Amino acid sequence: MRDTAEHQARNAVAASISAAGASGTTGAAANAEAQALGLAGIAIYEWNIATDTLMWSGAVHRVFGVDAVQVNTAYDFSSGRGYARHVDPEAGVSRYDTVMTSDKTDRGEGVNFSCEYVVVPPGSDEAVWVEDTGAWFLGDNGRPGRVVGTVRNITARKHRERHLTYLASFDELTGNINRTKLRETLSQTIAYCERFDRASAFMMAGIDNLAMINDAYGFDVADQVIVAVSRRLKEQLRQSDTLGRVAGNKFGVVLANCGEDEMAYTAERLMRAVRETVIETGSGPVSASVSIGCVALPRCARNATEALARAEETLDAAKSTRRGAYTIYQLSEQRESSRRRNIQLADQIVAALNEDRMKLAYQPIVSAKTGQADLHECLLRMVKPDGEVVSAGAFISVAEKLGLVRLIDHRVLELTVRTLTENPDVHLAMNVSGMTAVDRSWLESMTGYVRDHIDIAPRLIVEITETVALHELEESARFVRELRDLGCRVAIDDFGAGYTSFRNLKALDVDMVKIDGSFVKGLVRSRDDQLFVQTLVHLAKNFGLPVVAEWVGNEDEVTLLRAYGVEYLQGFYLGEPTMAPVWGNAAAARETA
């Protein structure tokens, strides 16, 4: 049986190796096979261990990227020893070691093997990784006597694997460790500090106004700035310190054995190193600065997650004061208590979304002329498991802070569209949060959803706040334009709270304005508010926009607003929000939500 298997293997290898000199159909087929293997970076070999003779197919030079003539002369690939001289003993496991140290037994069919190693041809700096796969057969002396197999050039694959391994721990742009590796370093540092009662620090440094550099010079220059800032920060650190890239414009710095009194000095030194001189880029000199958030370890953070979150929170606080500032995190029981409440509230929000306990209450917006409800505003309510109803004001700010507001806005959209579909004579206004209004991906999702229910579009009014609309004027104008193209109307909410002007109203091209209720409440007693409201109404009239007055609280305010020419009125005096409206009957909209 052994002879049969060995004979078949020998014939197969011999056919491929001698293909170049073969004739006839069989020889042509073998030659074609050898050429195909060669083009694929594969060579076939037979190694007689007893005589140390190594025979190759004609494609061996392609595997190693060498001259075909020199393979068996200059490189001496014709013997096992000659070939072994070019194998790097430090990289992988060689064919010889794999075969000769095998603990398997040849029972007549050969023993399969596979190994990977590096071959370095003489006179070449290019190391070639090969995958050596084949079978060895027992010799007369009871040890491996003959090997047949193939070698494949896997250098490209090894380079890709090495690159992926590198990216798993390092940032490709700066060469610093990445967020994942930095988190590991933080965990190790905190554990070390707790075990040996040492103090360390973690800093998060953010490049100021990187978005402006992007806009002014382009992403290539911004990348050059990131690399330069990284280099300057690293130059200021000790060998025991660690620098990593946390996000696009943010770096994390782990300072080993750093007391709290040293943090301020270190932060100032890092900021000075970045801002001291301009950064030379391909588009000219660029000035840069960093702001820094500092956290003492382990006193102010017991794990890596806390350290990262608190450093980022402190960095945001530093940036809110001025450009190029630093802030040191201070433990606060009030803040920790607030954070715990926020986490609890976030869990409640997610549960309410999953369990369909987010509901709408509807407040009538009545015509100043007729007193009838021409439309209703959708106001969000969260129903707790015990039946308690919570208004949006109690949780929407936390939802915005924790990134849940887009999910909430989408649920409001679904509920609003459902109500409009079930009640073909109803007109509704729904609010969109500031974060959502300037989010292009959410806008695409919303327009797609409305497009699927296009028949309700003329009865849907979308409200965006004036402060957000003016802060992101270009994005807001795009938001308004795309909604109006679908047939929806758009209203500016809290009109007057921002910097209102003819230019802004013209740029936004909305359909309606809603005067901020703070100017309506107590209108009768405030001459200043009266003049301001009249000015806002006059401004809207110049654009032919109907006006809604919010927070209307009594008949005197109704009379005054009618006299100013306000078309619509809204407030508890005219109708409280209800979760069970009787559509078409404004007087019935009295059940308080």
Side-chain angles (χ1 to χ4, degrees):
M1 188 173 180
R2 175 185 297 143
D3 291 343
T4 301
E6 188 171 351
H7 181 69
Q8 290 173 344
R10 182 187 295 275
N11 287 342
V13 174
S16 295
I17 292 175
S18 62
S23 60
T25 305
T26 304
N31 188 46
E33 179 185 357
Q35 287 181 338
L37 290 171
L39 291 172
I42 301 172
I44 303 171
Y45 68 84
E46 178 183 6
W47 177 28
N48 187 315
I49 298 176
T51 64
D52 198 28
T53 303
L54 184 58
M55 293 192 299
W56 295 89
S57 64
V60 62
H61 64 285
R62 291 199 180 96
V63 174
F64 299 108
V66 297
D67 186 273
V69 178
Q70 294 181 304
V71 169
N72 290 324
T73 56
Y75 301 150
D76 192 19
F77 280 7
S78 61
S79 69
R81 288 187 180 85
Y83 180 70
R85 280 196 289 269
H86 303 297
V87 175
D88 184 350
E90 303 298 326
V93 181
S94 71
R95 177 199 303 156
Y96 181 89
D97 290 336
T98 302
V99 172
M100 302 308 290
T101 62
S102 174
D103 58 357
K104 297 180 180 178
T105 303
D106 178 15
R107 301 187 184 280
E109 296 180 348
V111 177
N112 293 331
F113 73 90
S114 181
C115 57
E116 296 177 357
Y117 51 85
V118 168
V119 174
V120 183
S124 173
D125 294 330
E126 295 296 324
V128 179
W129 270 97
V130 297
E131 178 185 64
D132 196 329
T133 305
W136 60 264
F137 298 90
L138 205 61
D140 295 336
N141 60 359
R143 302 188 65 198
R146 186 170 152 276
V147 182
V148 294
T150 63
V151 290
R152 175 199 301 269
N153 188 325
I154 58 169
T155 305
R157 191 190 82 194
K158 284 291 185 178
H159 287 168
R160 287 194 300 271
E161 290 174 355
R162 191 181 300 116
H163 185 61
L164 290 174
T165 301
Y166 175 83
L167 292 181
S169 300
F170 294 89
D171 172 58
E172 190 170 19
L173 179 63
T174 63
N176 299 321
I177 60 173
N178 58 21
R179 187 184 183 97
T180 302
K181 193 68 176 177
L182 185 68
R183 181 185 288 273
E184 292 178 14
T185 304
L186 265 173
S187 297
Q188 293 165 1
T189 301
I190 293 171
Y192 174 84
C193 290
E194 290 179 331
R195 181 178 178 183
F196 296 102
D197 193 25
R198 298 291 178 85
S200 293
F202 178 62
M203 296 182 175
M204 189 173 291
I207 302 175
D208 299 317
N209 300 326
L210 188 65
M212 293 177 61
I213 296 173
N214 270 331
D215 293 340
Y217 298 97
F219 289 103
D220 288 346
V221 170
D223 283 350
Q224 292 174 46
V225 170
I226 291 170
V227 171
V229 169
S230 169
R231 189 180 302 116
R232 292 182 180 186
L233 292 174
K234 196 172 185 67
E235 288 171 352
Q236 298 300 313
L237 301 179
R238 300 165 298 177
Q239 192 171 0
S240 59
D241 300 330
T242 304
L243 176 67
R245 190 178 179 198
V246 179
N249 70 326
K250 296 173 184 174
F251 298 91
V253 183
V254 181
L255 299 170
N257 297 315
C258 177
E260 295 185 34
D261 54 341
E262 297 173 280
M263 282 196 298
Y265 170 75
T266 304
E268 289 176 350
R269 189 176 77 244
L270 294 176
M271 291 189 301
R272 186 167 58 251
V274 173
R275 70 168 181 262
E276 229 171 26
T277 57
V278 296
I279 296 170
E280 295 297 335
T281 72
S283 297
V286 175
S287 177
S289 64
V290 294
S291 298
I292 299 176
C294 313
V295 178
L297 303 178
R299 187 176 72 84
C300 294
R302 293 291 180 176
N303 55 59
T305 300
E306 282 187 357
L308 284 162
R310 292 174 180 179
E312 187 148 19
E313 177 186 327
T314 312
L315 171 60
D316 290 340
K319 283 179 173 286
S320 68
T321 58
R322 61 181 175 85
R323 175 183 169 187
Y326 74 89
T327 301
I328 296 176
Y329 183 87
Q330 301 294 336
L331 282 173
S332 164
E333 182 54 39
Q334 181 180 0
R335 180 169 52 204
E336 293 306 307
S337 176
S338 175
R339 181 178 285 109
R340 288 192 292 270
R341 286 197 303 271
N342 289 348
I343 293 172
Q344 274 187 335
L345 191 52
D347 290 340
Q348 293 174 16
I349 292 170
V350 172
L353 287 167
N354 291 336
E355 297 167 13
D356 197 26
R357 289 189 283 105
M358 288 292 184
K359 305 295 182 182
L360 293 181
Y362 305 89
Q363 185 174 31
I365 299 175
V366 304
S367 167
K369 290 182 179 179
T370 66
Q372 297 297 309
D374 285 1
L375 63 151
H376 291 74
E377 181 176 357
C378 301
L379 302 172
L380 184 64
R381 300 289 185 262
M382 180 171 67
V383 181
K384 290 188 173 182
D386 61 2
E388 180 187 353
V389 178
V390 182
S391 65
F395 60 84
I396 203 69
S397 61
V398 173
E400 288 182 337
K401 187 181 297 183
L402 300 180
L404 297 172
V405 74
R406 292 173 180 83
L407 296 175
I408 291 175
D409 280 349
H410 193 76
R411 180 59 54 86
V412 170
L413 174 63
E414 290 175 340
L415 295 172
T416 302
V417 170
R418 182 191 304 171
T419 302
L420 289 170
T421 302
E422 294 171 352
N423 301 277
D425 295 326
V426 168
H427 293 250
L428 296 177
M430 61 165 278
N431 291 282
V432 172
S433 71
M435 289 177 65
T436 302
V438 294
D439 184 340
R440 292 194 181 191
S441 62
W442 194 93
L443 174 59
E444 291 171 2
S445 173
M446 179 180 182
T447 54
Y449 193 81
V450 173
R451 195 174 286 111
D452 292 339
H453 304 80
I454 198 65
D455 56 312
I456 61 92
R459 295 183 287 119
L460 174 62
I461 299 173
V462 179
E463 298 184 10
I464 57 175
T465 62
E466 183 187 37
T467 48
V468 170
L470 300 184
H471 184 67
E472 299 283 354
L473 190 61
E474 187 176 336
E475 284 298 318
S476 298
R478 182 174 180 269
F479 180 83
V480 172
R481 185 168 58 253
E482 295 202 18
L483 287 175
R484 295 193 72 201
D485 287 345
L486 290 173
C488 301
R489 288 176 288 169
V490 181
I492 289 291
D493 198 12
D494 299 336
F495 187 57
Y499 181 69
T500 306
S501 69
F502 283 96
R503 183 178 64 84
N504 293 335
L505 272 182
K506 183 177 180 181
L508 290 170
D509 194 24
V510 295
D511 301 280
M512 178 183 288
V513 295
K514 300 182 72 176
I515 295 177
D516 189 284
S518 62
F519 303 116
V520 176
K521 187 177 180 180
L523 181 67
V524 175
R525 298 187 303 273
S526 173
R527 180 59 182 164
D528 289 342
D529 285 346
Q530 291 174 23
L531 291 172
F532 190 63
V533 169
Q534 288 181 76
T535 301
L536 293 176
V537 172
H538 179 70
L539 179 60
K541 294 292 185 184
N542 278 302
F543 286 90
L545 299 176
V547 178
V548 181
E550 299 179 300
W551 296 13
V552 179
N554 55 57
E555 191 60 34
D556 290 339
E557 290 173 355
V558 170
T559 302
L560 208 54
L561 291 165
R562 279 176 178 160
Y564 294 162
V566 173
E567 286 88 351
Y568 297 100
L569 307 170
Q570 180 180 0
F572 275 49
Y573 174 73
L574 300 159
E576 297 183 12
T578 173
M579 294 171 65
V582 180
W583 299 114
N585 185 354
R590 294 282 182 181
E591 182 184 339
T592 304

